[in-house]
Amino acid sequence: MSSLLPFAVFTPLVGAMVAPLLSLILPRALRPKAGYPLAFLFVPGLLLVSLAGSAAHHPLEHTVSWVPALGLQLRFRADGFSLLFAILIAFIGVLIFCYAAAYLSPRERNGRFYSYLLVFEGAMLGLVLSENLI
């Protein structure tokens, strides 16, 4: 279950690359509605709710080897406080994407907007679930 931590962080970041393509593929009238399928990118973040009970007693940790030659690793840690914020970030992200899909007009640059939001949300999840900020 601890492998869900990097998955929750990197799913919105990968979705940020897909969002402009999705808005180009869709017809002009449906481009603002791309926010509805993009809101599902926060499902791994919302699944962290299932980890909240077990992380209350002992934190979950996951390490991904980034550059093994230099000894660099990406380390994720989820304790009760960080899970609270991760769930809050993911839930508000879903609400923002659903609101934006209903509010935006077809004349706006929706792909760029959704991409920026996904990068922001992924960065916030990465900040909250990171074991070491540096």
Side-chain angles (χ1 to χ4, degrees), residues 2 17 24-25 31 34 40 67 69 72 77 92 96 114-115 121 131:
S2 66
M17 294 183 278
L24 289 176
I25 293 171
R31 286 182 187 167
F40 284 106
V67 183
L72 296 177
R77 178 184 166 97
I92 291 175
I96 289 171
Y114 289 134
S115 180
E121 296 280 337
E131 184 181 54

Side-chain angles (χ1 to χ4, degrees), residues 14-111:
V14 171
M17 294 183 278
V18 175
L21 299 174
L22 185 63
S23 68
L24 289 176
I25 293 171
L26 291 174
R28 189 169 196 67
L30 291 178
R31 286 182 187 167
K33 306 302 182 209
Y36 291 125
L38 289 173
F40 284 106
L41 294 174
F42 296 106
V43 169
L46 292 174
L47 286 178
L48 291 174
V49 175
S50 63
L51 300 177
S54 63
H57 300 290
H58 44 26
L60 298 171
E61 295 182 358
H62 188 78
T63 303
V64 178
S65 181
W66 184 27
V67 183
L70 297 176
L72 296 177
Q73 299 174 343
L74 295 175
R75 299 189 71 176
F76 298 97
R77 178 184 166 97
D79 55 359
F81 195 59
S82 63
L83 279 177
L84 171 74
F85 278 102
I87 293 164
L88 186 68
I89 290 166
F91 181 70
I92 291 175
V94 169
L95 292 178
I96 289 171
F97 272 76
C98 291
Y99 178 77
Y103 181 75
L104 292 176
S105 72
R107 295 184 307 266
E108 299 177 24
R109 295 183 177 176
N110 300 316

Side-chain angles (χ1 to χ4, degrees), residues 105-128:
S105 72
R107 295 184 307 266
E108 299 177 24
R109 295 183 177 176
N110 300 316
R112 183 182 297 177
F113 174 74
Y114 289 134
S115 180
Y116 287 156
L117 275 178
L118 284 168
V119 167
F120 178 69
E121 296 280 337
M124 285 197 320
L125 284 172
L127 179 69
V128 168

